[in-house]
Amino acid sequence: MRRLASLLTLSLFPLLGGCSSAPAPKPVVKPQPNSAFINQTPSRSPVYSQGISKGDFANRPNVDRFVQKMVEKHGFDSAQLHQVLAQAERYDWIIRLMDAQAPTTAKPTGPTGAWNRYRAKFITPDNVQNGVNFWREYASELNRAEQIYGVPPEIIVGIIGVETRWGRVMGKTRILDALATLAFDYPRRAEFFTSELEAFLVMTRDEGMDPAEPKGSYAGAMGYGQFMPSSFQRYAVDFDGNGHTNLWDPVDAIGSVANYFKAHGWEKGQPVAVRGQGQLPGYEHGFQTRYPVATLRSAGLIPTSSLGNHSESSLLRLDVGTGYQYWYGLPNFYTITRYNHSTHYAMAVWQLGLAVKAAR
């Protein structure tokens, strides 16, 4: 597709392993409003007035409760919304993939090169060149986003590159199927995905889209930046000024990613992370840690460049196989983790963006 997470949350499910040699997709043509979905006066059907009579989510109490909530909260027509949900298909493979995303508690006993392997998925000569091509094509929009939101082009380019290889890997799963499956048949996270389905249906209604058409990730992330529907509601912008907000359009995606970062505290002109010289094996590490810079200095970690105006930082540790690299993680690094809560993810976004910038 052309979220989030968790921007927000967006992106909690980045699409890894995309093919950088695949041709970039053409922008999705905005579909005409679906008269069976927008709240017009429908021809009443006894079938629909009694709930869904066909489809994978037929005659389900949790579906009926969801529809009633949408009627009361957002003014949807019950029969029309039942008809839309009758088109949704349930997929067991989506549930299996979600279960596979559950974090593991096992920790390596020593350096294994985990960062090197992760980085190699994104920072390759072909991928960097594709990023250069994207930057050149949308240079004016990237510069305008920086002027308005204060977020530099390399961060926006890095996010879109890691998430979808600049539109090459946006997902092939219908969003309606993904969110209905997870909302109604995945109890562990049903509350979250029910709210995402709600946001998706409101989005498609307000934007005049057929809800059965948009495609994205198996978790419902959408567009170039892989926003979840709730992130669309909060942060997506009509950056090309055509009266529609379309995350499958690269220009709207650029503005929306920049707006997401500004809303999450991006500090204009400040560094992201700084490599440290030294080793701190006894210290807790991770993007969520907080240390006075003076404490890390006194423990033997010396920054290799300016930390800007910051007196605190997180302590980041990257496993490079032969040992560990230690970094000062500054507030802008933490802001990148609001897109995906991972040190590796945020570092890959930043370093990919810098690699593309250097190759321009």
Side-chain angles (χ1 to χ4, degrees):
M1 307 177 67
R2 301 198 318 238
R3 333 147 177 204
L4 111 309
S6 210
L7 111 2
L8 215 244
T9 296
L10 32 131
S11 105
L12 294 176
F13 311 97
L15 295 172
L16 304 180
C19 178
S20 61
S21 61
K26 296 180 181 179
V28 173
V29 177
K30 180 73 73 175
Q32 295 298 312
N34 181 355
S35 61
F37 182 58
I38 296 177
N39 192 7
Q40 300 173 345
T41 303
S43 56
R44 295 292 177 179
S45 164
V47 171
Y48 289 136
S49 65
Q50 297 300 318
I52 302 174
S53 64
K54 61 180 181 178
D56 291 342
F57 298 100
N59 303 314
R60 300 274 294 272
N62 56 349
V63 175
D64 291 340
R65 289 193 297 269
F66 173 78
V67 170
Q68 186 59 33
K69 174 185 176 182
M70 297 295 285
V71 170
E72 296 172 356
K73 186 175 179 180
H74 300 290
F76 281 82
D77 180 272
S78 176
Q80 292 170 347
L81 187 52
H82 273 300
Q83 185 173 2
V84 168
L85 292 173
Q87 302 176 60
E89 298 181 38
R90 180 192 187 279
Y91 290 110
D92 288 336
W93 63 264
I94 292 177
I95 294 173
R96 289 195 297 269
L97 281 175
M98 285 298 301
D99 285 336
Q101 292 287 334
T104 59
T105 57
K107 295 183 179 181
T109 57
T112 65
W115 163 241
N116 296 342
R117 291 190 297 275
Y118 189 90
R119 186 181 188 276
K121 296 176 182 179
F122 304 104
I123 305 177
T124 66
D126 284 349
N127 210 29
V128 169
Q129 185 57 52
N130 287 332
V132 169
N133 296 340
F134 181 86
W135 192 324
R136 288 174 178 169
E137 183 172 1
Y138 297 104
S140 62
E141 289 84 1
L142 289 163
N143 292 335
R144 183 160 59 93
E146 182 176 23
Q147 293 170 1
I148 295 172
Y149 301 107
V151 181
E154 61 265 26
I155 298 300
I156 303 170
V157 168
I159 282 285
I160 296 176
V162 167
E163 288 290 340
T164 64
R165 302 301 198 278
W166 301 287
R168 289 169 171 79
V169 190
M170 293 192 288
K172 299 179 180 180
T173 306
R174 287 200 313 174
I175 300 296
L176 182 65
D177 297 336
L179 294 179
T181 296
L182 294 170
F184 302 132
D185 277 344
Y186 193 60
R188 185 167 70 87
R189 301 201 64 194
E191 182 178 357
F192 172 78
F193 284 106
T194 298
S195 68
E196 294 298 333
L197 178 60
E198 174 185 350
F200 172 73
L201 292 170
V202 171
M203 179 196 80
T204 53
R205 179 190 66 182
D206 293 351
E207 291 295 325
M209 303 173 72
D210 183 337
E213 288 187 1
K215 294 181 179 180
S217 82
Y218 67 87
M222 309 180 299
Y224 273 71
Q226 293 290 278
F227 274 28
M228 293 299 288
S230 58
S231 290
F232 175 93
Q233 285 187 325
R234 297 184 184 101
Y235 311 113
V237 297
D238 174 20
F239 204 53
D240 62 9
N242 69 352
H244 294 282
T245 304
N246 179 7
L247 296 177
W248 292 266
D249 178 87
V251 176
D252 282 359
I254 286 168
S256 298
V257 169
N259 185 45
Y260 183 96
F261 277 106
K262 180 181 179 181
H264 284 82
W266 184 267
E267 297 181 349
K268 182 179 180 180
Q270 290 295 310
V272 174
V274 172
R275 175 80 179 273
Q277 289 183 338
Q279 298 287 307
L280 297 180
Y283 282 69
E284 182 182 359
H285 55 86
F287 66 84
Q288 67 275 66
T289 59
R290 289 291 180 274
Y291 293 99
V293 168
T295 298
L296 298 178
R297 280 180 177 271
S298 64
L301 191 68
I302 308 302
T304 57
S305 61
S306 172
L307 299 175
N309 59 10
H310 300 295
S311 60
E312 288 188 340
S313 80
S314 59
L315 179 64
L316 309 176
R317 191 182 78 170
L318 299 179
D319 174 354
V320 294
T322 56
Y324 299 104
Q325 291 178 1
Y326 287 88
W327 292 70
Y328 292 83
L330 302 173
N332 279 344
F333 187 90
Y334 183 80
T335 296
I336 300 175
T337 69
R338 300 308 84 201
Y339 215 96
N340 185 304
H341 299 174
S342 162
T343 294
H344 280 178
Y345 176 91
M347 190 65 76
V349 164
W350 180 50
Q351 292 193 6
L352 176 60
L354 291 178
V356 172
K357 182 179 181 179
R360 290 181 64 232

